[in-house]
Amino acid sequence: MTEHVEHPLAAAVKPLLDAVGATPVPLDEAKAEDVVLEWEGAPALAVRLPHLSSALDRLLAEMARQFDGRPLAELDRLEKQRVVALLEERGAFTVRHGVETVATALGVSRFTVYNYLNRQDGSKAP
């Protein structure tokens, strides 16, 4: 029986894959939509990217971790505004139903999320 040795590239990109919800795939199981990474000019690792629908859930979980693991609905108003700002920076509101999903997670209305976004836009104006 041959022992499977992990390619050094797999170990190097593991934190990145974990952060974005991607999974490494053996080259012989790679599909056309997978991304093949090369090492010294040769295919070394295939990466399967997550579906966009799960991206927002991962972002919300990351926000909870950044705020000491507290449920987002329990944050105070300023913390919720910060969450909305961070999520906007990461493109959370480009996902279909992003505002609704974030509003539910924060325990506020869609209108409140839009207010947070507008307040943020107003603070960026010269």
Side-chain angles (χ1 to χ4, degrees):
M1 182 172 160
T2 348
E3 184 180 323
H4 173 28
V5 177
E6 186 176 80
H7 194 283
L9 181 60
V13 299
K14 184 180 181 334
L16 175 63
L17 299 185
D18 290 346
V20 299
T23 52
V25 179
L27 287 171
D28 60 350
E29 296 175 23
K31 297 179 180 177
E33 64 270 14
D34 294 334
V35 178
V36 176
L37 303 177
E38 292 188 0
W39 180 274
E40 297 179 350
L45 176 70
V47 175
R48 185 155 300 149
L49 299 173
H51 293 284
L52 270 181
S53 59
S54 64
L56 187 51
D57 291 335
R58 279 192 312 283
L59 283 173
L60 289 167
E62 174 59 28
M63 291 298 106
R65 279 191 296 280
Q66 287 186 28
F67 287 86
D68 303 321
R70 291 180 286 157
L72 297 177
E74 293 179 7
L75 301 179
D76 67 31
R77 183 178 52 84
L78 290 175
E79 289 170 324
K80 288 178 182 183
Q81 288 173 342
R82 181 70 183 136
V83 166
V84 168
L86 290 168
L87 290 171
E88 184 181 31
E89 288 173 12
R90 290 174 174 84
F93 300 109
T94 61
V95 176
R96 187 172 186 196
H97 303 296
V99 170
E100 293 86 348
T101 302
V102 170
T104 299
L106 293 175
V108 299
S109 68
R110 291 179 318 154
F111 180 76
T112 298
V113 172
Y114 283 118
N115 278 340
Y116 292 168
L117 289 167
N118 289 336
R119 178 173 290 133
Q120 187 179 331
D121 288 341
S123 67
K124 291 179 187 174

